Amino acid sequence: MDSPFGLLAELTYRCPLSCAYCSNPVNLGDYHDELTTAQWQRVLIEAQELGVLQLHLSGGEPLLRRDLVDLVTSARYLGLYTNLITSAVGLSRRRAEQLRAAGLDHVQISIQADEATLSDGIAGTPSYAGKIEAARLVKELGWPLTLNVVLHRRNMDRVAAVLDLAEELAADHLELANTQYYGWAWRNRDALLPSRAQLDRAEAVVRAARKRLKGRMDIVYVLPDYYSQYPKPCMGGWGKRQLTVTPNGDVLPCPAAHALPLPRASVHEDSLARIWARSPLFQSFRGTDWMPEPCRSCERREIDFGGCRCQAFQLTGDASRTDPVCHLSPDHGIVAERVRAANEENRLGDGVLVPRPHRGRPGRR
Amino acid sequence: MPSVKPTRSDRRAADRRRTATTSSSRPKLTSHVRLRFDAAREQHVLLGPESVMVLNPTGADILSLCDGRHTVAEIVATLQDRYDGVVDDEVRRFLDRLATKRCLEMSDG
Ligand SMILES: C[S@@+](CC[C@H](N)C(=O)[O-])C[C@H]1O[C@@H](n2cnc3c(N)ncnc32)[C@H](O)[C@@H]1O
Ligand code: SF4
Ligand code: SF4
C-alpha cells in the first residue's frame, strides 16, 4: 500500500462568503463541533508519521480559525510543505505577516470573476476589492501567487478578462477549475453547467494564453468532466495519494466522500495510520479489484481508476459503478441528458442559484 | 475604497524573466518549491503547492545544482562525470518542463 503525500485539512466549514458553486457539504450544521488546536496538532504529527509531505489548509474559510498561525508553525516544525487555500477575506496585512513569519510556503486565493460586480454577486458579499489587495500583498511579502477561479455558466465567458487580471497581478499560477458537482454545486448544477459553445470559446482562449505566457504563468485548466469522454482520475486513486480531515475530525479519501454509505472513520476514535490502512472507507475502492465491467476489463483502469466514486454514487445510488461521465458507462445517459438540457436552444434564462449560507452557527473557536 | 487596479510594474518584472532554456542560462529553484530528502521513502522530493515530485538520484543531483550559479552546460557536464549515459537533451527537457511549471527560473549567462 502506498503512503499518502498530501493532507487536506478542512479546518472549518464556516465562511463569510456564500458561493453557490461551493463544494462544501450541504449539511453544514453537522460540523460545528470543530477539532481543537491540540487535536489538529496531533493529526499533523500522525500525518507526518504516515508519510504526508504536504499540508493544504482549507475549509470553509481557514482564516476564521484563530489558531491558523499556530497550526502553520506546527506543520513547518514537522517539515511539511504548507499551502493556504483561501477566499482572502480576513487576510489583513498583520495576519499575512504572521503567516509569513510562521513559514507558510504558499497562498492560493480564489476570486469569483475578473471584476467586482460579478465577483461580489457570485460570492454573495462585497469581497473583490479586498481579494485584489490581498493578492498584491501576497506578492509584496515574497510569496508566489496562485489564483483560483471556479468556472461555470455565469463566468465562463469572462475567461479572457480573468487571464488579463492574473497577468496584471503577476500571478505565478492560475487555476481555472470547472465546477465539480458536489455539495452546493450539486444542488445548483443545472444553473451552473455551461453550454458546449461557452466551453469551446473558453478553451481556445486558454490555449492561446498558455502559449503566450509560457514560463511566466503556469495555467492549469481543469476540464469539465460532464463534457469529457473519460472521467477524471479522482484524487489520483482512492486512498492512494491523499487524505482529508473534516472540521469535526472525520477522515475521508476525498472531501466529497462523506456522502457515501460507508462507516465513518474519525480521529476521535482511531489513528490516521489505522484508518488509512484498514478502515472500510479507505479499503472499499482501493486498487482495481472492486471494479465492475466495463472498467474491470478496460485498458484505462489504471489511468482514471473508473472515475469518481462520489459522483457514481450521486448519479446512480451505487458507489461501485463506473463513473457515469465515462462514455462507456451503462449509465452515461444520465449525464448526457443534463448536457443536452444545458445546450437547449430555447432554454429559459439561466436558472436560479441557491447560495450556500454565509456561516453556520459560529463554532467554538 | 483603495484602488483595485494592479500596477504595470509587476508585469514588466515578469517580462524580464527568461523562459527559454539555453546552454548559458542559469536555472534556479523558485522560492515556493522545496527540495528535500524524505527519510520515509528514502528519496529526494521536490515539494510545490500542487505537486510532490519524487526524484531519482539523477533528478535530485540536477536540481541540487539549480542554484542560479551553474549554467545548464555546467550542470550537464557535472552529471556526465557522475553517471553514464546522461543525454544533454534529456536534462534540458527536464529543466524546461520544470520551468513551465514555474518550479525553476532561468537567468541569463
Ligand atoms: C471549498 S474552497 C475552501 C477555501 C476558500 N473558502 C476558497 O473558496 O478559496 C477550496 C477550493 O475549492 C474551490 N472550489 C469550491 N467549490 C468548488 C467546486 N464545486 N468545484 C471546483 N472547485 C471548487 C475553491 O475555489 C477553492 O479554491
Ligand atoms: S462559500 Fe466560497 S469562499 Fe466559502 S468555502 Fe465555499 S467556495 Fe470557499
Ligand atoms: S470504462 Fe472505466 S476504466 Fe474504462 S475509461 Fe471508463 S471509467 Fe475509465
Side-chain angles (χ1 to χ4, degrees):
Chain A
M1 191 186 313
D2 297 314
S3 45
F5 287 103
L7 168 66
L8 173 66
E10 297 190 317
L11 299 179
T12 178
Y13 284 145
R14 288 172 289 137
C15 184
L17 276 60
S18 50
C19 314
Y21 63 71
C22 184
S23 55
N24 281 179
V26 287
N27 50 332
L28 292 166
D30 293 356
Y31 297 88
H32 286 316
D33 206 5
E34 294 177 6
L35 296 184
T36 62
T37 309
Q39 286 168 330
W40 272 117
Q41 283 165 329
R42 186 171 56 81
V43 167
L44 297 183
I45 291 169
E46 288 187 9
Q48 190 267 339
E49 286 170 355
L50 185 55
V52 164
L53 297 168
Q54 194 184 38
L55 172 69
H56 305 284
L57 297 154
S58 185
E61 181 42 65
L63 288 165
L64 288 179
R65 286 281 302 210
R66 272 184 257 140
D67 55 1
L68 184 62
V69 175
D70 297 330
L71 294 177
V72 169
T73 306
S74 304
R76 282 304 312 260
Y77 178 77
L78 294 167
L80 301 180
Y81 186 96
T82 49
N83 181 23
L84 175 66
I85 303 178
T86 178
S87 70
V89 173
L91 192 61
S92 62
R93 177 172 290 271
R94 202 175 102 90
R95 204 78 190 291
E97 281 169 355
Q98 287 171 341
L99 288 166
R100 182 87 188 146
L104 179 69
D105 290 286
H106 183 266
V107 184
Q108 173 182 311
I109 294 180
S110 61
I111 54 174
Q112 281 63 23
D114 62 289
E115 51 90 24
T117 313
L118 184 58
S119 188
D120 293 349
I122 295 169
T125 184
S127 48
Y128 178 79
K131 283 166 185 276
I132 300 300
E133 242 190 290
R136 287 153 91 175
L137 180 61
V138 161
K139 293 249 36 166
E140 182 195 318
L141 295 184
W143 275 303
L145 174 64
T146 295
L147 288 181
N148 163 283
V149 186
V150 177
L151 298 179
H152 46 77
R153 200 172 181 95
R154 304 283 168 102
N155 65 2
M156 186 70 70
D157 298 327
R158 309 283 317 173
V159 163
V162 166
L163 280 154
D164 284 347
L165 173 68
E167 200 186 346
E168 299 264 10
L169 289 168
D172 298 87
H173 303 266
L174 173 64
E175 198 177 289
L176 297 165
N178 273 286
T179 305
Q180 302 187 337
Y181 298 103
Y182 307 110
W184 295 88
W186 168 252
R187 183 170 278 195
N188 287 306
R189 182 182 56 173
D190 287 346
L192 292 170
L193 193 64
S195 70
R196 192 178 298 278
Q198 282 186 299
L199 281 168
D200 288 347
R201 285 195 298 269
E203 273 169 34
V205 170
V206 172
R207 253 197 314 275
R210 269 227 184 93
K211 232 188 205 156
R212 183 164 56 85
L213 299 168
K214 183 174 185 293
R216 280 198 282 145
M217 193 197 297
D218 171 41
I219 303 171
V220 175
Y221 179 76
V222 181
L223 289 165
D225 61 357
Y226 271 49
Y227 281 91
S228 309
Q229 249 192 322
Y230 298 112
K232 56 183 182 283
C234 195
M235 307 308 287
W238 191 264
K240 197 173 156 82
R241 299 180 62 89
Q242 288 237 40
L243 73 170
T244 297
V245 176
T246 64
N248 64 345
D250 285 351
V251 188
L252 301 170
C254 99
H258 58 83
L260 299 184
L262 285 166
R264 280 178 57 202
S266 164
V267 300
H268 292 300
E269 279 138 42
D270 222 334
S271 70
L272 278 192
R274 263 204 308 274
I275 292 171
W276 176 261
R278 301 209 202 130
S279 67
L281 191 52
F282 279 83
Q283 287 287 56
S284 291
F285 304 114
R286 238 187 206 126
T288 52
D289 285 349
W290 59 272
M291 285 183 176
E293 292 296 351
C295 298
R296 179 174 282 276
S297 53
C298 177
E299 55 181 29
R300 287 180 56 89
R301 66 181 178 275
E302 301 276 358
I303 299 173
D304 62 33
F305 316 105
C308 171
R309 294 307 87 223
C310 307
Q311 185 150 270
F313 178 69
Q314 215 158 32
L315 291 169
T316 73
D318 179 354
S320 65
R321 289 182 78 76
T322 296
D323 186 336
V325 305
C326 178
H327 74 296
L328 301 171
S329 154
D331 305 308
H332 185 61
I334 302 172
V335 170
E337 173 53 27
R338 293 338 300 160
V339 168
R340 194 195 55 73
N343 289 281
E344 234 160 42
E345 296 251 340
N346 48 3
R347 210 177 120 110
L348 285 175
D350 277 344
V352 178
L353 288 177
V354 183
R356 66 156 270 182
H358 275 279
R359 334 172 155 243
R361 269 185 296 119
R364 280 186 300 144
R365 59 209 67 250
Chain B
M1 174 88 60
S3 149
V4 296
K5 204 83 191 106
T7 52
R8 289 269 160 187
S9 64
D10 297 337
R11 180 184 279 191
R12 275 201 305 276
D15 278 337
R16 276 196 302 273
R17 276 185 233 132
R18 295 270 325 257
T19 57
T21 310
T22 64
S23 303
S24 62
S25 26
R26 300 172 197 272
K28 183 175 191 295
L29 287 171
T30 48
S31 60
H32 61 290
V33 296
R34 262 199 278 145
L35 178 66
R36 56 164 267 215
F37 187 72
D38 177 30
R41 295 178 178 83
E42 300 188 334
Q43 271 173 311
H44 277 87
V45 287
L46 185 68
L47 303 177
E50 287 306 320
S51 62
V52 174
M53 197 170 161
V54 180
L55 299 162
N56 61 18
T58 332
D61 274 14
I62 295 174
L63 292 186
S64 62
L65 292 167
C66 291
D67 52 9
R69 282 179 287 142
H70 298 86
T71 63
V72 171
E74 286 164 359
I75 292 172
V76 172
T78 310
L79 264 287
Q80 282 168 342
D81 278 350
R82 285 186 203 166
Y83 303 93
D84 285 337
V86 172
V87 183
D88 186 337
D89 244 23
E90 274 170 27
V91 177
R92 244 174 244 229
R93 266 203 301 279
F94 176 71
L95 294 173
D96 233 15
R97 221 176 34 243
L98 286 169
T100 307
K101 295 259 93 187
R102 303 281 294 108
C103 296
L104 284 175
E105 269 174 3
M106 302 289 171
S107 61
D108 246 330

